[in-house]
Amino acid sequence: MSDALLSAAGIHKSYAMGRTVLHVLRGCDISVRSGEFVAIMGKSGSGKSTLLHILGALDVPQQGQVHFAGEEVFAPPRLRSIRTNALDILSSTERRRIRFRRRLFGFVFQFYHLLPELSVLENVLLTRMVGTPTLAWFGARARAREDALAMINRVGLGERTRHRPNELSGGERQRVAIARALIHKPRILFADEPTGNLDAEAGAALMGLLKSLHDEGQTIVMVTHDAGVAHQADRIVRLEAGQLRQV
Amino acid sequence: MYKLFLTLRYLRKRRIAYFAIAAVMLCTAMVLIVSSVMGGFLDQLKLKARGLLGDIIVDNGIASGFPLYEEFIAEISTWPEIEKATPLIYSYGILRFGESPRLNTVRVVGLRLEDVYVVNAFKESLYYETYYPGTTTLSPQQQPLLGFDPELSPAAQSDPTFRLPVLPEPYRSALETSRTQGIVDEAVPSSLSQEFAAEGAGPIPGVYDVNWNIESGPTLEGEPFPGLIVGRDMIAARKPDGRYERYESYPRGCRMTVTLVPISRSGSIDLPIKQPFRLTDDSRTGIYEIDSQHVYCDFSLLQKLLEMDAAEQIDVESGEVIGTTPPRCSQIQIKLTPGADAYAIAERLEEHYHSYMADPRYRLDLNDVQLVQFVEAKTWEQSQEHIIAPVEKERILVTILFGIISLVAAVLVLCILYMIVLQKTRDIGIVKAIGGSSGGVAAIFLLYGAAVGLVGSIIGAIGGYYFVTYINAIQELLIWLNPAWRVWDRSVYSFDAIPNTVNMLDVIQVVVFAILASTFGALLAAWRAGAMQPVEAMRYE
């Protein structure tokens, strides 16, 4: 496990549903090596997206630890008592998670999650903007734009840079989302049901794109409930009853 | 960078923000208009008071006036800080216009014209002195009659009978002098002189000589009477554009009669006295109460008419002359040399005057001592403090009240931004998912509030500026639509026009306040946006 790029141990997550508590994750352990393509499978509602969000520092577990390249993604358990969202603004945990998301992680979501007011190019550039201080941006802008155009060309949307998300098909939107996720050259790409909202043809094309990215050395952790999609990964783990099982 | 980028994008794309901008704009314009009009009113008040009073005013507030003014003026004129001092008399009278039944109660001011020209800005208020320089005098004078130029006007070549009006000397030369200097009369020509004005003669007001003889030229007629300067609103009609049209029945040199009531130094009132005058000029200070009520005549004449001049003092029992009562005036206006400390000098002047009570040179009787002991010397600001201070307070109060009302804009910004945050919850989640910090996301909405404030306040400031600048034209338009919509009554607010100047410092203050208020209004929305967790935000429906 020492050569793991990303590792998680004893992840617990539960949600309060009225008076009952729904235990989604009950001690999940997972390890992803650099350059590996891992698929997490499970039924709808099994908690695979929750696990992905925790691995990607978008969400916090109630118990457990996540490490990335040997560095702790979450703060020690004593800070788990800080439940107030507002306090997170100031917490070091929040700052650390932001740094991972901004520099090292990339995300692709089932519903694309593009900003509707921005064009394809602007959506992709936004990731670079977020990671660049205001003054530095004026020096980095031209280079970022070149990189963004190259990435958009890479996903096959070179002719659509000025279009807005509502002028694109589902498959095209997901390609934009991939370009946005990769523009800052993340160490690991998290994909949450990337084909879940696409037809078979668009889904196959998108998987081809992910596969080629993986072939170029991109580490990918993908969540899917589709066995056909999952089988294109190097390794499949299944989430059942809140725990992961190697397939 | 993404904060500024998204702020500007949301500002452009979220049309609901236009309502917030409109609210900020209206509030900014409202505060600026109120502040400017009130501030302008105050500034005019100070300016006019300053222009009519001189730097220091010495008086005792008693209608009988006070003695020893000549001695006082002679002594202080040697002080290096004193440039000029002149006595004035204030009284009340009834003005009759010619032989007409029209009577006006007026405040009669006796002054030394040449001295007053130096001490304050009275000269600039005179009409004829501006366009016929050197012809305004308070000494006895006849009425000038208008004749016709024997030479044909170039514009009237086609009509051999057409001749432009000309005045007798020295009025004719004075008019030519002012026109040579480029001083153009912008008064509205009376109906009689409109035709001539159109031919380039200008609005020469006057009465035509019915017995005009081309050989003898224009003449003067009538018995000489002392000159009287009359407040312009009594002898001319103000037009909507601010210019005046003189009534043809009150030409220069026409006869007017003032009935005065003398008041003795002991306070007893004598029989009324009638004094005929000739209208020599009209004055427009810009303060309606003065221009509709004040007439000005020669100081010595008024002093004599009111029995305030030197008189023999007779022993009641023996009937013998036992001395002379000193002449009196109502006020002394003083102009200081540049840089002089008006407050310090006012104190010195007052002490100096009071020293006369015990001065063995003058041996004042009880009546005169009482008149002298109430003499006060005040700077023009101190003398007008009873008017200026309440207006100043009123201005601050009204500005604060409207500022509080403007907080409505901040609440509206809060509501609209909160709605936008709710609408953009998923976007907030996305921005956070790609590395946006809580502070950064909060900053987007704070910047958004500031941008709403900036855009709204700048538009409001421009709108307010033009509204204030054209406020009098707007009022005239309202009056034209419905006379009952007059909002600025000259007789109530003293000045004949609504103040229409905008202080740039006020603009800056109002704009900064609007931006701060809008940013403050965005705080809650920014806090909520910053506190959202990315996963929850992206799941938001």
Side-chain angles (χ1 to χ4, degrees), chain B residues 103-119:
Chain B
L103 297 174
N104 273 33
T105 55
V106 290
R107 189 126 202 244
V108 186
V109 184
L111 45 81
R112 292 173 178 165
L113 205 53
E114 295 302 323
D115 289 355
V116 166
Y117 283 173
V118 178
V119 169

Side-chain angles (χ1 to χ4, degrees), chain A residues 88 94 101-102 117 122, chain B residues 9 424 432 435 438 533:
Chain A
D88 267 353
E94 165 79 353
R101 294 200 298 259
R102 186 177 287 181
E117 278 93 355
E122 289 166 340
Chain B
R9 188 51 59 93
K424 306 306 291 179
K432 285 197 155 188
S438 299
Q533 289 299 318

Side-chain angles (χ1 to χ4, degrees), chain B residues 58-67 329-330 370-372 374-376:
Chain B
V58 177
D59 67 22
N60 67 349
I62 299 172
S64 314
F66 53 91
C329 74
S330 309
Q370 281 182 342
L371 295 177
V372 170
F374 287 111
V375 168
E376 287 182 325

Side-chain angles (χ1 to χ4, degrees), chain B residues 69 80 106 161 173 181 218 230 278 319 321 340 342 352 395 406 431 439 450 485 506 520:
Chain B
Y69 66 90
V106 290
T161 63
S173 299
Q181 292 168 352
V230 177
R278 287 203 183 273
V321 176
H352 190 76
R395 181 202 175 197
S406 297
V431 172
W485 289 348
D506 285 352
F520 183 76

Side-chain angles (χ1 to χ4, degrees), chain A residues 53 58 85-86 88-89 94 97-98 101-102 107 109 113 115-118 122 129-130 134 137 164 180, chain B residues 1-2 5 9 13-14 424 426-427 430 432-438 527 530-531 533-535 538:
Chain A
H53 292 152
L58 284 174
N85 288 342
D88 267 353
I89 291 172
E94 165 79 353
R97 284 161 55 200
I98 288 167
R101 294 200 298 259
R102 186 177 287 181
F107 293 93
F109 301 98
H113 287 328
L115 297 191
E117 278 93 355
L118 309 188
E122 289 166 340
M129 281 190 206
V130 168
T134 302
W137 175 252
R164 301 209 180 277
R180 181 182 65 187
Chain B
M1 182 61 205
Y2 71 102
F5 175 72
R9 188 51 59 93
K13 297 287 179 183
R14 297 274 101 193
K424 306 306 291 179
R426 194 173 286 184
D427 288 11
I430 296 165
K432 285 197 155 188
I434 61 173
S437 64
S438 299
W527 184 261
Q533 289 299 318
V535 173
M538 282 190 291

